[in-house]
Amino acid sequence: MVTVLDTVKGERPRHPEKANRPDTPVLRKPKWIRVKAPGSPVYTETKKIVRDHGLVTVCEEAGCPNIGECWSKKHATMMIMGEACTRACAFCNVATGLPKPLDPEEPENVARAVEKLGLKHVVITSVDRDDLADGGAQHFVDVIGAIRARAPGTTIEILTPDFLRKEGAIEKVAEAKPDVFNHNLETVPRLYPSIRPGARYFHSLRLLQRVKEVDPTIFTKSGLMAGLGESREEILQVMDDMRSADIDFLTIGQYLQPTRKHAAVDRFVTPEEFASYERIARTKGFLLVSSSPLTRSSYHADEDFVRLREAREASLSKQR
């Protein structure tokens, strides 16, 4: 397990704001959580492409347990706008701090990497940039445009921050027509003050609803972490809230504690309970649901996008 004093490229602590917090207990992971260490030749090739283009990936920054599997398929989730986040969420391992200025060459560098990796589907995420007037909305637009120009056959999924108090930002990004617009609610409303203190639950919900108002053809997607202390009833209520906002795709995965200074794992949710969440969510009308201990927002995103389009077509066929 990493510590809050681990540095970002040897320059500064990752989580200085958490250094004085008391240690939280670390639960032993059950067998269904354990994954193999990365190391295949394709994994190494993917890592080299990422490094050669000076890119940051959320796979590494967030300590994703699926990195070995995904990078062995050349699936890397690009994290734009730097590696320092202006928020300090209790669950997240992305470094907190004052970000550097935006890199004007980043959109083209991301597009080159997408082309070189030969991606049919790419996921682009970012840190929160509360320091920018538009929260980084125009940078998302520039990245989408660069990918469209260099890899026109690649479908684009974005996983954005909440653009809280950034008027017009949501609309600007939606008008760039990503194929999937993802923004994670992360947890239930009751836990926002302790887990996601810089965010507002109903603003995040409204963000996704607003995307559909701007362009109903864009798929919307959101994710939840289980095991933070939420109840089953609260998870089901969030599902209802999501459907009221016309969200198409729901992901639910197990929260894993990055360091002893981060929020503690309340419990490890069993695979059977995740399966029951998926069954219930499907009855509520989501086009697609991915619910398992190792589910993450961009896990199997390329395959899921194909299934998402097929589900929409099947739904439209029933209405004809």
Side-chain angles (χ1 to χ4, degrees), residues 102-123:
L102 294 178
D103 178 2
E105 297 182 3
E106 184 172 56
E108 187 60 27
N109 286 336
V110 169
R112 286 197 197 97
V114 169
E115 182 183 38
K116 194 162 186 178
L117 287 165
L119 299 180
K120 294 180 179 178
H121 184 81
V122 64
V123 182

Side-chain angles (χ1 to χ4, degrees), residues 180 219 249 287-288 304-312:
V180 182
F219 290 107
F249 186 3
L287 286 179
L288 197 64
D304 284 340
F305 180 71
V306 173
R307 294 167 59 205
L308 197 55
R309 284 197 295 198
E310 291 172 348
R312 175 180 279 175

Side-chain angles (χ1 to χ4, degrees), residues 167-293:
E167 187 174 351
I170 299 166
E171 292 80 3
K172 181 185 291 186
V173 178
E175 287 165 2
K177 296 183 73 69
D179 297 280
V180 182
F181 198 125
N182 184 4
H183 172 67
N184 288 331
L185 296 187
E186 305 291 11
T187 190
V188 301
R190 177 177 57 85
L191 296 179
Y192 261 56
S194 59
I195 300 301
R196 201 175 175 225
R200 301 294 180 268
Y201 175 79
F202 286 104
H203 170 81
S204 287
L205 199 64
R206 174 61 182 151
L207 180 157
L208 291 158
Q209 184 181 47
R210 181 65 185 133
V211 170
K212 282 291 189 184
E213 292 171 355
V214 172
D215 189 342
T217 67
I218 297 174
F219 290 107
T220 51
K221 178 178 176 181
S222 192
L224 290 172
M225 297 175 291
L228 278 163
E230 73 290 333
S231 70
R232 182 179 179 83
E233 290 72 22
E234 287 175 313
I235 290 280
L236 302 187
Q237 180 60 59
V238 172
M239 289 183 190
D240 288 337
D241 292 345
M242 287 184 177
R243 288 305 301 135
S244 72
D246 201 22
I247 293 170
D248 297 306
F249 186 3
L250 167 64
T251 63
I252 310 177
Q254 173 68 52
Y255 166 65
L256 297 176
Q257 181 181 356
T259 76
R260 291 181 180 274
K261 302 296 184 181
H262 284 77
V265 174
D266 178 72
R267 69 187 182 98
F268 288 106
V269 179
T270 65
E272 292 76 19
E273 189 170 350
F274 277 110
S276 74
Y277 282 143
E278 180 166 345
R279 288 192 298 271
I280 292 168
R282 289 185 180 279
T283 68
K284 291 180 181 292
F286 290 97
L287 286 179
L288 197 64
V289 183
S290 178
S291 177
S292 73

Side-chain angles (χ1 to χ4, degrees), residues 63-81:
C64 181
N66 302 315
I67 188 171
E69 178 185 348
C70 293
W71 282 30
S72 293
K73 298 177 181 178
K74 292 191 176 181
H75 297 161
T77 298
M78 314 295 180
M79 191 171 80
I80 61 174
M81 298 196 280

Side-chain angles (χ1 to χ4, degrees), residues 55-58 61 77-84 94 106 123-127:
L55 302 176
V56 179
T57 69
V58 76
E61 296 301 310
T77 298
M78 314 295 180
M79 191 171 80
I80 61 174
M81 298 196 280
E83 54 194 10
V94 173
E106 184 172 56
V123 182
I124 307 296
T125 189
S126 79
V127 291

